[in-house]
Amino acid sequence: MDRLRIVGGHRLQGAVTIAGAKNAALPQIAATLLSPYPVELSNLPQVSDVENMLGVIGLHGAEVGRASHSTTIHAKDIVSTETSYDTVRKMRATVLVLGPLLARCGEAKVSLPGGCAIGARPVDMHIKALAALGADIGVEGGLIVASTRGGLKGARIVLASPSVGATETAMMAATAANGETEILNAAREPEVADLAACLIAMGAKIEGAGTHRILVEGSTTWRPAKHHGISDRIEAGTYAVAAAITGGMLELTNARLENMASVLQVLEAMGVSIWPSDRGLVVSRDGPLRGTDITTEPYPGFPTDLQAQFMALAACAEGASLIRETVFESRFMHVPELMRLGANISLQGTTALVRGGAPLKGAQVMATDLRASVSLVLAGLVSKGETVVNRVYHLDRGYEQLDRKLKLCGADIERISE
Ligand code: UD1
């Protein structure tokens, strides 16, 4: 298992190219199973989650071009409608093939994801959405077993809360249903709107994606398509923290201001400057860092996927920060690891009180999930001496060449392969 060795204390300066959004790419790859025509996806990030998802749709019969930042997927025939426990266990997002397989083939069996490092993460809303579209659906022996008699039918789907995945499942399935579907309390994340843009390019008729109410006209006539995915706002936010935590200046090429308002607001409150450039965004800090309070929320609120990174930043700020997690109930695995580096954090339920300002000191730490791992790398950039982050494979799931990008901007970081 690879490790990252970081020697802290270097100010970052330069440009970082922000890759395509992983969370936009994964549902789009699943969506290609809906159509018998080729779909060319570009701006795919080269991360292991994307590779895995391409592998999964390959098992269902899709022909996948050579994986790179752009690839053509052709699901001419579906050869299997079952997904194994092993594939879903490795990556929860695999559950996104459920809607497309059911819609295209009238049946699907997808393993239930089960618990994971950041909480229970059930899929009940995905199941209810498909039931509303007329599917016979239930859980048998750890599998979600779904079928339709005579196809899915357009319906009104009211989501209990604005789940990103459930909105995507509902939207994908509805494209092939008979009649119109209305999805209420839909997730408004930019990745949902980008999935809609991809489906529209493939032939679907969808309105309102990016708002609480999405309308889908079913019975899509599919066609060959090309789609260029949006850039990764979470990766951009992570490098913004890298600039802020080291008192540096980074240009985030391809980052987009309009998808990051809540993040920029928090950065400004902490004493970090941000302005748009021709190519993206520039983030810099030369004054002191100030603590601030953060509450994670569904978009357009502050993203849960940046909570760990901002906790590392808060640990280096003057004063206290109260960080409240409202999206996932137990997303605090990074707390004990940040404390190993000297951060002063006390945790009560879903709230962390960070008393900032104590100098961090390098140590051996353990990566536990994707975003928790990157928070340890960020803390390592300012910790005195050497920090070694173990189990780096978590980082490779969602960050394209993290160590290389940081090194190019002046970080002292190296990957130790075993
Ligand atoms: C997506 C993102 C993930 C991000 C999350 C929240 C992808 C591939 N992943 O995950 O990086 O952290 O959005 O922004 O896009 N829930 C239920 N029942 C369901 C579905 C969800 O109770 O059927 C709960 C979850 O446990 C969680 C909350 O709803 O507490 C939000 O989850 P959701 O928005 O569905 O997240 P994902 O789509 O899994």
Side-chain angles (χ1 to χ4, degrees):
M1 265 185 255
D2 289 3
R3 291 174 292 161
L4 285 180
R5 182 181 157 278
I6 304 154
V7 178
H10 299 273
R11 183 176 175 270
L12 297 195
Q13 182 142 26
V16 177
T17 303
I18 302 303
K22 168 182 82 76
N23 287 351
L26 297 178
Q28 289 168 22
I29 294 170
T32 62
L33 292 176
L34 283 162
S35 162
Y37 295 104
V39 181
E40 184 186 321
L41 296 178
S42 52
N43 205 25
L44 293 174
Q46 284 195 314
V47 295
S48 64
D49 268 9
V50 164
E51 261 171 53
N52 281 337
M53 195 65 158
L54 290 170
V56 169
I57 61 156
L59 294 175
H60 293 296
E63 283 168 28
V64 180
R66 213 162 60 85
S68 71
H69 288 113
S70 139
T71 196
T72 299
I73 302 168
H74 191 183
K76 193 160 161 247
D77 300 299
I78 301 292
V79 297
S80 153
T81 53
E82 267 188 56
T83 296
S84 74
Y85 175 61
D86 234 29
T87 50
V88 179
R89 189 180 52 83
K90 264 194 233 146
M91 189 177 61
R92 187 189 142 82
T94 308
V95 81
L96 290 169
V97 300
L98 173 65
L101 287 176
L102 178 67
R104 173 118 178 238
C105 307
E107 56 171 40
K109 280 188 190 168
V110 174
S111 183
L112 217 48
C116 80
I118 62 171
R121 302 188 84 170
V123 286
D124 54 314
M125 284 190 265
H126 297 242
I127 293 175
K128 279 187 197 139
L130 295 174
L133 293 172
D136 254 331
I137 186 164
V139 177
E140 290 168 27
L143 294 173
I144 307 167
V145 180
S147 63
T148 64
R149 256 168 283 140
L152 296 171
K153 291 179 190 62
R156 168 178 287 181
I157 299 170
V158 185
L159 295 176
S161 67
S163 152
V164 174
T167 303
E168 292 169 342
T169 289
M171 196 163 66
M172 290 189 281
T175 59
N178 273 318
E180 193 180 80
T181 295
E182 182 184 23
I183 307 168
L184 294 176
N185 200 21
R188 290 183 283 169
E189 268 69 1
E191 293 75 18
V192 171
D194 201 43
L195 172 62
C198 176
L199 289 165
I200 290 167
M202 291 165 64
K205 296 196 175 82
I206 302 173
E207 281 174 21
T211 74
H212 281 309
R213 179 171 177 262
I214 301 177
L215 292 175
V216 184
E217 202 182 302
S219 309
T220 299
T221 306
W222 301 106
R223 58 182 180 228
K226 286 183 183 188
H227 179 73
H228 188 83
I230 54 171
S231 69
D232 197 315
R233 64 196 167 95
I234 305 301
E235 190 194 19
T238 302
Y239 285 102
V241 172
I245 207 166
T246 62
M249 184 192 283
L250 290 179
E251 182 173 25
L252 311 177
T253 309
N254 297 338
R256 288 173 50 184
L257 200 61
E258 67 271 23
N259 284 346
M260 299 182 61
S262 61
V263 178
L264 302 188
Q265 213 177 4
V266 169
L267 282 167
E268 277 174 357
M270 296 182 85
V272 182
S273 312
I274 302 117
W275 63 95
S277 69
D278 291 346
R279 304 190 299 173
L281 282 178
V282 181
V283 182
S284 106
R285 175 178 72 85
D286 39 31
L289 264 178
R290 294 185 297 268
T292 193
D293 296 344
I294 300 172
T295 301
T296 66
E297 282 169 339
Y299 190 85
F302 187 90
T304 173
D305 285 351
L306 283 172
Q307 182 254 107
Q309 298 88 317
F310 274 74
M311 193 176 295
L313 188 60
C316 301
E318 285 173 7
S321 301
L322 212 54
I323 301 184
R324 214 155 65 89
E325 172 61 57
T326 74
V327 180
F328 292 109
E329 72 275 21
S330 56
R331 196 171 203 179
F332 284 123
M333 285 82 52
H334 44 286
V335 170
E337 298 301 307
L338 287 171
M339 288 171 75
R340 287 173 63 79
L341 298 172
N344 182 343
I345 305 170
S346 55
L347 198 54
Q348 229 177 18
T350 53
T351 302
L353 172 63
V354 186
R355 292 186 177 91
L360 303 184
K361 208 161 162 263
Q364 292 260 352
V365 286
M366 188 71 82
T368 48
D369 78 16
L370 174 56
R371 311 301 173 184
S373 321
V374 86
S375 77
L376 302 174
V377 174
L378 293 168
L381 294 174
V382 284
S383 296
K384 192 164 185 298
E386 185 179 291
T387 297
V388 176
V389 183
N390 292 291
R391 294 199 183 167
V392 167
Y393 63 87
H394 287 293
L395 280 171
D396 296 332
R397 286 187 40 211
Y399 286 95
E400 183 177 307
Q401 301 196 329
L402 177 84
D403 37 326
R404 187 169 166 271
K405 288 184 184 181
L406 287 172
K407 204 182 188 109
L408 282 174
C409 303
D412 184 345
I413 181 167
E414 65 168 334
R415 182 179 285 250
I416 306 163
S417 300
E418 275 179 13

